[in-house]
Amino acid sequence: MQARKNFKLVCLALAMTGAFSSASSFAQDLKIALIAGKTGALEAYAKETETGFMMGLEYLTGGKMEINGRKVKVIVKDDQGKPDLGRTMLAEAFGDDKADIAVGTTSSGSAVAMLPVAEEYKKVLIVEPAVADAITGEKWNRYIFRTSRNSTQDGLAGASTIKAGGSIAFLAQDYAFGRDGVKAAKDALGTVGAKAKVVHEEYAAQNTTDFTAAAQRIFDVLKDKPEPRILQIIWSGASPMNKLADMKPERFGITLAPGGNILPIMKNWKTYAGTQGAIYYYYDFPKNKINDWFVAEHNKRYKAPPDFFTAGGFAAASAVYTAISKAKSTDTEKLITAMEGMEFDTPKGKMNFRKEDHQAMQSMYHFKIKKDQKNEWDLLELVREIPASDLPVPLKNKR
C-alpha cells in the first residue's frame, strides 16, 4: 500500500515537473531580430522601418507586446547597408541571440547576402524593405518571405501610369536597386501594353550630386523622339528630381516621372504640380481601421504622418504576428506552412504571401502631385488604387 502511495507521489511530482518545464519553456521571450541599415545612405528608410515595426507590434498585441503568451523581444541590429555586415548580423541573430524569426533589411545588396544565412540556420527571414527581384527570384530559398514590394511591382505600377506610345528614358542608380528597377520597368511596359519605346538608360553612382552631364545625354537622346517623351527616375535616397527639373526638360517636351519617395523628399516637389508617378504607400490613400489608427497615432507622437517605409515596417510586424499566431509556434516548418498563402492586414489593406515565391501580393497607388497643398504634408492626389490583380508579377524563382 505504501509502495503504491509512493509511486503515485513520484508520478505526481514528475507530472508537475513536466508541467512546470513546459510552462517555463512557453514563457520564454519570443525573439525577433530586426536588421536595418541605420547608418549610411539609407538611414532615413531604416529608422522609419523600425518605427513602423514597433508600432505595428504595439497595435496588433493591444499594447501587451505578447504573442501566444510569450513576451516579444525585438533585437535591433545595424548592418550599415553593407552586404558582409548584413550576413554577419543575421548569423549572429540566429546563432548567438537565438532569434526565432528575423526581419530585414534596407539595402537590396545586403538582403541578397542574408538569404543563404536563413537557409543555413533554417529560420524564416521576412525581407523588408529591400526590393530587388532576385530576393524572391533566382536568389530565393524556402525560408524567405517578403512584405515589401519588389522591383517588378514598382515597374508594373509605374508602367500603368504611362500613356500608350511615346519614348522613355531612365535615370537610375548604378547598383542592384537601380539596375533591377530599370529591367523590371522595361519588362513591365510590354506587360501592361504601354508600348512606349525605351530609347536610353543612364546610370549614375549612388553618391552623385551633379547630374548635368547625365541629364544632357538623356535630353540629347529624347528631344527628337516621338512624344510623349518621358524621363523615368528610379532612385533611392535623396532624389535628383529637383536638379533635373531645374534643367528645364520641358523645353524639349520631356516630362519627369518620379517613383514615390519619403515625405521629406517629396515635399520639395511642390512646384511640379500635375507630375504623375506610382507609390507603395501614402498616408492619405488607404481607408481602413488600421491606417486610421496608424496615421492618428503617428501624428500624435511624431507631429507628422507615417511614411512610405513606416508602413512597410508595420506590414512586416503584421506578417510576424499573424504567422506566429496562426502557427501557434515558432517552429520553422510550422511557420512556413502557416505563411504560404497567408493573408494579413496592413495599413495598405490586405496582403497575402504567394505560395510559390513568398512575395507579398499587394496594391499600389497612381498619384499626381497636388497643385493646392493645404499643409506641409498635403502632397499627393490619388489618381487610382492599382489592385494586385492589375500587377501580374511573374514567378522568377524557378521553384
Side-chain angles (χ1 to χ4, degrees), residues 354-370:
R354 185 162 60 176
K355 186 174 182 179
E356 293 82 359
D357 63 355
H358 304 172
Q359 173 62 49
M361 309 309 287
Q362 56 194 284
S363 61
M364 300 281 277
Y365 303 94
H366 178 181
F367 71 82
K368 181 188 294 185
I369 298 175
K370 280 187 174 183

Side-chain angles (χ1 to χ4, degrees), residues 2-40:
Q2 183 63 37
R4 184 180 296 177
K5 185 176 180 181
N6 289 342
F7 176 73
K8 286 182 178 180
L9 287 171
V10 170
C11 288
L12 179 60
L14 287 171
M16 289 178 68
T17 301
F20 176 78
S21 175
S22 175
S24 175
S25 175
F26 188 71
Q28 287 178 353
D29 286 346
L30 194 165
K31 296 180 180 178
I32 305 168
L34 176 63
I35 300 171
K38 295 182 66 175
T39 52

Side-chain angles (χ1 to χ4, degrees), residues 149-163:
R149 86 286 183 212
N150 63 23
S151 291
T152 293
Q153 285 167 313
D154 272 349
L156 288 166
S160 73
T161 71
I162 296 171
K163 294 178 181 178

Side-chain angles (χ1 to χ4, degrees), residues 60 147 153 280-281 286-291 314-315 318-319 322 341-354 359-365 385-389 391:
L60 294 160
T147 48
Q153 285 167 313
Y280 164 86
Y281 171 86
K287 305 300 178 186
N288 60 67
K289 183 180 177 182
I290 287 179
N291 197 55
F314 195 120
S318 181
T322 306
M342 183 183 81
E343 187 175 81
F344 53 103
D345 293 312
T346 79
K348 292 176 61 173
K350 291 188 182 298
M351 294 185 187
N352 72 282
F353 286 127
R354 185 162 60 176
Q359 173 62 49
M361 309 309 287
Q362 56 194 284
S363 61
M364 300 281 277
Y365 303 94
E385 181 174 340
I386 309 167
S389 58
L391 302 170

Side-chain angles (χ1 to χ4, degrees), residues 190-204:
T191 302
V192 301
K195 297 180 181 177
K197 183 179 180 181
V198 178
V199 298
H200 187 70
E201 298 171 32
E202 186 76 28
Y203 297 94

